[in-house]
Amino acid sequence: MKPSRITYLAFVCCGLMLLANCQGNMDIKTAQYYTNGHQLYTVHCANCHGDKGEGLALLYPPLNDSDYLQQHRNQLPAIVLYGLSGEITVSGQQYNMPMPANPQLSPVEIAYILAYVTNSFGNKSGVVSEEEVEASLQQIKKENTSESTLVLRK
């Protein structure tokens, strides 16, 4: 008796479910954050930073292999939410174009974007959790008198 397509499909699905269950929760969470982050990055960030994180000439900094991302990890949630103005140095190059705020993004959406950015384009920094985003935003608020006058510490 020759197995039917349904039997074959059922066998493949069971195998995939078994493999998925063998992965740790962190792997699944990382994949979820990364996938959702890619979608949000495409909508909110790619116009300036590029589809491949390459930036836009001397206007907008690259995100690929970025020393700035590593050195300012705790400030990244506030930068995404509130924007950034003033001169910054990324990989030895100075940039001075303001980054617009994204006040419509929730903490989990910011975590998704940062998980994608910090694990793409040559960056390998692990997941930025929603809890990490919330703690970072609270700390930034304590250090500043109002959200409209955020001062990011260097």
Side-chain angles (χ1 to χ4, degrees), residues 57-58 88-95:
L58 296 177
I88 62 169
T89 302
V90 177
S91 300
Q93 180 64 50
Q94 293 180 337
Y95 297 88

mmCIF file of all heavy atoms in Angstrom, residues 57-58 88-95:
data_model
loop_
_atom_site.group_PDB
_atom_site.id
_atom_site.type_symbol
_atom_site.label_atom_id
_atom_site.label_comp_id
_atom_site.label_asym_id
_atom_site.label_seq_id
_atom_site.Cartn_x
_atom_site.Cartn_y
_atom_site.Cartn_z
ATOM 1 N N ALA A 57 24.171 57.885 2.759
ATOM 2 C CA ALA A 57 25.327 58.772 2.546
ATOM 3 C C ALA A 57 25.774 59.361 3.884
ATOM 4 O O ALA A 57 25.949 58.637 4.848
ATOM 5 C CB ALA A 57 24.985 59.842 1.524
ATOM 6 N N LEU A 58 25.936 60.667 3.932
ATOM 7 C CA LEU A 58 26.351 61.322 5.174
ATOM 8 C C LEU A 58 25.157 61.912 5.922
ATOM 9 O O LEU A 58 25.345 62.662 6.883
ATOM 10 C CB LEU A 58 27.385 62.411 4.871
ATOM 11 C CG LEU A 58 28.696 61.901 4.284
ATOM 12 C CD1 LEU A 58 29.632 63.055 3.957
ATOM 13 C CD2 LEU A 58 29.369 60.920 5.221
ATOM 14 N N ILE A 88 26.230 63.060 16.287
ATOM 15 C CA ILE A 88 26.670 61.779 16.829
ATOM 16 C C ILE A 88 27.785 61.239 15.938
ATOM 17 O O ILE A 88 27.898 61.636 14.771
ATOM 18 C CB ILE A 88 25.527 60.744 16.930
ATOM 19 C CG1 ILE A 88 24.953 60.405 15.549
ATOM 20 C CG2 ILE A 88 24.438 61.228 17.872
ATOM 21 C CD1 ILE A 88 24.011 59.217 15.546
ATOM 22 N N THR A 89 28.590 60.350 16.489
ATOM 23 C CA THR A 89 29.658 59.715 15.723
ATOM 24 C C THR A 89 29.382 58.225 15.656
ATOM 25 O O THR A 89 29.211 57.570 16.692
ATOM 26 C CB THR A 89 31.029 59.973 16.372
ATOM 27 O OG1 THR A 89 31.227 61.389 16.460
ATOM 28 C CG2 THR A 89 32.145 59.360 15.552
ATOM 29 N N VAL A 90 29.298 57.705 14.446
ATOM 30 C CA VAL A 90 29.053 56.288 14.217
ATOM 31 C C VAL A 90 30.189 55.746 13.357
ATOM 32 O O VAL A 90 30.411 56.235 12.246
ATOM 33 C CB VAL A 90 27.691 56.061 13.517
ATOM 34 C CG1 VAL A 90 27.475 54.583 13.227
ATOM 35 C CG2 VAL A 90 26.553 56.628 14.352
ATOM 36 N N SER A 91 30.910 54.792 13.902
ATOM 37 C CA SER A 91 32.038 54.171 13.198
ATOM 38 C C SER A 91 33.010 55.210 12.641
ATOM 39 O O SER A 91 33.454 55.125 11.496
ATOM 40 C CB SER A 91 31.531 53.246 12.097
ATOM 41 O OG SER A 91 30.718 52.226 12.655
ATOM 42 N N GLY A 92 33.290 56.230 13.450
ATOM 43 C CA GLY A 92 34.259 57.257 13.081
ATOM 44 C C GLY A 92 33.727 58.378 12.211
ATOM 45 O O GLY A 92 34.419 59.343 11.947
ATOM 46 N N GLN A 93 32.491 58.283 11.757
ATOM 47 C CA GLN A 93 31.886 59.301 10.882
ATOM 48 C C GLN A 93 30.858 60.106 11.674
ATOM 49 O O GLN A 93 30.072 59.546 12.428
ATOM 50 C CB GLN A 93 31.206 58.618 9.686
ATOM 51 C CG GLN A 93 30.556 59.578 8.719
ATOM 52 C CD GLN A 93 31.568 60.492 8.028
ATOM 53 O OE1 GLN A 93 32.565 60.034 7.500
ATOM 54 N NE2 GLN A 93 31.302 61.781 8.044
ATOM 55 N N GLN A 94 30.850 61.423 11.475
ATOM 56 C CA GLN A 94 29.896 62.283 12.189
ATOM 57 C C GLN A 94 28.620 62.454 11.365
ATOM 58 O O GLN A 94 28.673 62.596 10.139
ATOM 59 C CB GLN A 94 30.529 63.638 12.478
ATOM 60 C CG GLN A 94 31.674 63.515 13.462
ATOM 61 C CD GLN A 94 32.308 64.851 13.762
ATOM 62 O OE1 GLN A 94 32.228 65.794 12.988
ATOM 63 N NE2 GLN A 94 32.974 64.934 14.903
ATOM 64 N N TYR A 95 27.498 62.460 12.086
ATOM 65 C CA TYR A 95 26.167 62.661 11.496
ATOM 66 C C TYR A 95 25.436 63.700 12.335
ATOM 67 O O TYR A 95 25.577 63.727 13.556
ATOM 68 C CB TYR A 95 25.369 61.344 11.482
ATOM 69 C CG TYR A 95 26.006 60.294 10.620
ATOM 70 C CD1 TYR A 95 26.975 59.434 11.139
ATOM 71 C CD2 TYR A 95 25.665 60.165 9.286
ATOM 72 C CE1 TYR A 95 27.578 58.475 10.347
ATOM 73 C CE2 TYR A 95 26.268 59.205 8.484
ATOM 74 C CZ TYR A 95 27.218 58.366 9.027
ATOM 75 O OH TYR A 95 27.805 57.425 8.232
#
